[in-house]
Amino acid sequence: MEIENYNQEMKVSIIIPIYNVEKYIEGCIASVANQTYKDYEIIAVNDGCTDSSMEVLKACTEKYNLKDKIRIINHDSNRGPSAARNAGIKNSSAEYLYFLDSDDMITPDCIEKLVGQAVQNGVCVDMVVGGYRVDDPRGTHLYVCELAKIEKSLLNRKEFIRAYCKDIIYPMAVNKLTRRDFVLKHGVYFEEGLLHEDLMWSFQAMLHINKIGIVNEDTYIYCIRENSIQTSPGFMKHFEAYCYIIGKMADIIFSSPLRRNRHVYNFLETEKQRYAIQCIRSGNAHLVRKLYDVIRRHPHYNKREAMMRFGWLSYMRKRIRERDEHYSLPFEEGLQMFINISASHLK
């Protein structure tokens, strides 16, 4: 979107889904209240809280003088973060949207720095991404933000796809300032009822983004809480989400021009390995068979087609030999090769 007269004060809708976070919600709201950038609204979505989260929120509204900035949307029951974020989008009124999880925090200059990169060379970018740091008192999780590898403050579509597919730009929806009319135009909503909804949301955004701004500073504080994927007893729910996501990604990629992009090819194959590794690490290696069955049923390049398209690159020839040969084998042999490849990435 091109603009002739840019007013630095662009309004931001900060969307916060809230569900049973009574211990953490004040820290989140306080971090918003302390922003150096003041032209924002808070859309807090009560996603059927059964604890005192909303009472704490109301107290914070008084304490931080946010009455004129906050709107509360109430769900009758818990519908999940996707439905809460979608409700926030539909009730927003600002030029840009910003998603914040209710148990995380942002730095005082977060919105100011992101908005500062929202317009470049007279053009409103589709999205601005900021860096993050991890607050994990137990030291049990290693989340590394790779954004520092990007030296530019503005990426075009080709550069963005490459950075996203190489996992340099993280897939989480948080800490991304996204143009509201971009979301509405392309229907980039969160799929309701889906675990790991961020993966599909950011992937669908990738299909349409032309320009993206980069803030190579930590603007978000990602707080590690209890019940990680690896320790959760409900791994089967996560696994079903993985199967659905990888299948839908494959369908989308192979029905679009993205199928001709080697970075996208690598991304899809890497995601398959990533989900297999999750099964193995969580003690559910037996589920790899079902995952592989899903993979085999969805579109993919056969070895010959992949070689014709990407074989002029030596590293891609190696990738194709190592990762795609199992497709041409009988199921049991292909499954064993897939497991061996996945297991080798655990070393």
Side-chain angles (χ1 to χ4, degrees):
M1 179 174 69
E2 295 185 3
I3 55 176
E4 295 180 356
N5 297 310
Y6 166 54
N7 181 352
Q8 181 67 22
E9 291 298 310
M10 300 182 72
K11 191 174 182 180
V12 176
S13 293
I14 301 176
I15 299 171
I16 309 176
I18 300 174
Y19 180 68
N20 292 356
V21 285
E22 58 185 10
K23 295 180 182 178
Y24 315 115
I25 186 63
E26 180 169 2
C28 175
I29 296 300
S31 72
V32 176
N34 291 330
Q35 288 300 296
T36 55
Y37 191 87
K38 300 302 182 183
D39 194 6
Y40 65 84
E41 65 176 358
I42 301 172
I43 302 179
V45 183
N46 172 16
D47 194 30
C49 291
T50 58
D51 67 357
S52 61
S53 295
M54 299 313 295
E55 287 75 15
V56 175
L57 176 64
K58 290 174 183 176
C60 289
T61 301
E62 297 281 349
K63 180 177 180 179
Y64 299 106
N65 194 26
L66 295 172
K67 284 184 179 181
D68 296 332
K69 286 187 172 294
I70 193 166
R71 281 193 290 155
I72 298 175
I73 310 298
N74 291 300
H75 284 174
D76 294 334
S77 60
N78 177 234
R79 294 168 52 191
S82 290
R85 286 171 172 168
N86 287 342
I89 293 171
K90 292 172 183 176
N91 285 277
S92 63
S93 61
E95 289 89 349
Y96 278 86
L97 309 175
Y98 182 86
F99 300 106
L100 169 61
D101 284 349
S102 53
D103 56 352
D104 292 336
M105 295 175 284
I106 53 180
T107 62
D109 56 2
C110 171
I111 303 300
E112 180 180 3
K113 286 184 174 177
L114 296 182
V115 168
Q117 295 295 331
V119 175
Q120 299 195 39
N121 300 324
V123 176
C124 284
V125 302
D126 299 318
M127 180 183 288
V128 183
V129 179
Y132 66 86
R133 68 174 183 264
V134 179
D135 180 8
D136 179 12
R138 298 170 297 170
T140 54
H141 292 73
L142 295 176
Y143 290 88
V144 179
C145 182
E146 303 282 357
L147 210 62
K149 292 181 178 180
I150 301 176
E151 297 179 354
K152 302 169 68 175
S153 63
L154 177 66
L155 302 183
N156 60 31
R157 176 169 176 75
K158 182 178 179 180
E159 293 167 331
F160 165 67
I161 289 176
R162 181 184 182 192
Y164 179 86
C165 290
K166 286 179 171 289
D167 208 23
I168 296 172
I169 294 179
Y170 52 83
M172 295 96 75
V174 297
N175 203 32
K176 291 176 177 176
L177 195 69
T178 308
R179 223 177 66 231
R180 183 174 181 271
D181 62 357
F182 167 85
V183 171
L184 299 181
K185 176 182 177 181
H186 299 292
V188 186
Y189 295 100
F190 294 86
E191 189 157 346
E192 299 188 13
L194 177 67
L195 287 175
H196 307 292
E197 69 284 347
D198 285 21
L199 299 179
M200 279 308 307
W201 183 85
S202 59
F203 175 78
Q204 289 174 313
M206 181 191 72
L207 302 176
H208 305 289
I209 285 177
N210 287 309
K211 293 185 182 297
I212 186 167
I214 304 294
V215 174
N216 242 323
E217 298 178 57
D218 293 341
T219 54
Y220 195 92
I221 304 169
Y222 183 47
C223 302
I224 302 297
R225 310 299 181 188
E226 297 177 357
N227 299 323
S228 68
I229 294 173
Q230 285 76 16
T231 60
S232 171
F235 180 80
M236 193 63 191
K237 293 180 180 178
H238 298 281
F239 174 75
E240 294 293 346
Y242 294 150
C243 288
Y244 173 81
I245 289 168
I246 198 65
K248 187 165 183 178
M249 283 181 174
D251 290 339
I252 291 172
I253 287 171
F254 282 89
S255 62
S256 77
L258 286 176
R259 71 193 302 268
R260 297 191 292 269
N261 188 302
R262 69 180 185 275
H263 301 299
V264 175
Y265 171 86
N266 267 330
F267 167 77
L268 184 62
E269 294 301 318
T270 300
E271 287 297 283
K272 295 172 184 176
Q273 303 299 323
R274 192 199 308 271
Y275 299 154
I277 290 170
Q278 287 281 15
C279 293
I280 297 170
R281 280 181 173 163
S282 66
N284 293 281
H286 63 285
L287 292 176
V288 178
R289 170 180 286 274
K290 184 174 180 180
L291 174 67
Y292 191 63
D293 182 58
V294 171
I295 291 171
R296 296 268 290 211
R297 284 188 273 113
H298 284 271
H300 56 265
Y301 282 119
N302 59 41
K303 187 174 181 179
R304 182 171 177 272
E305 185 181 7
M307 281 293 191
M308 289 178 63
R309 190 172 293 283
F310 305 121
W312 56 280
L313 293 164
S314 59
Y315 79 91
M316 285 300 293
R317 289 199 298 273
K318 182 176 184 293
R319 170 74 158 173
I320 293 164
R321 284 196 300 269
E322 289 181 346
R323 302 295 176 92
D324 288 352
E325 189 173 307
H326 54 79
Y327 285 127
S328 60
L329 296 174
F331 185 89
E332 294 297 331
E333 294 179 46
L335 171 63
Q336 190 56 55
M337 178 178 286
F338 181 72
I339 291 173
N340 292 341
I341 293 171
S342 301
S344 69
H345 285 72
L346 293 172
K347 298 177 182 178

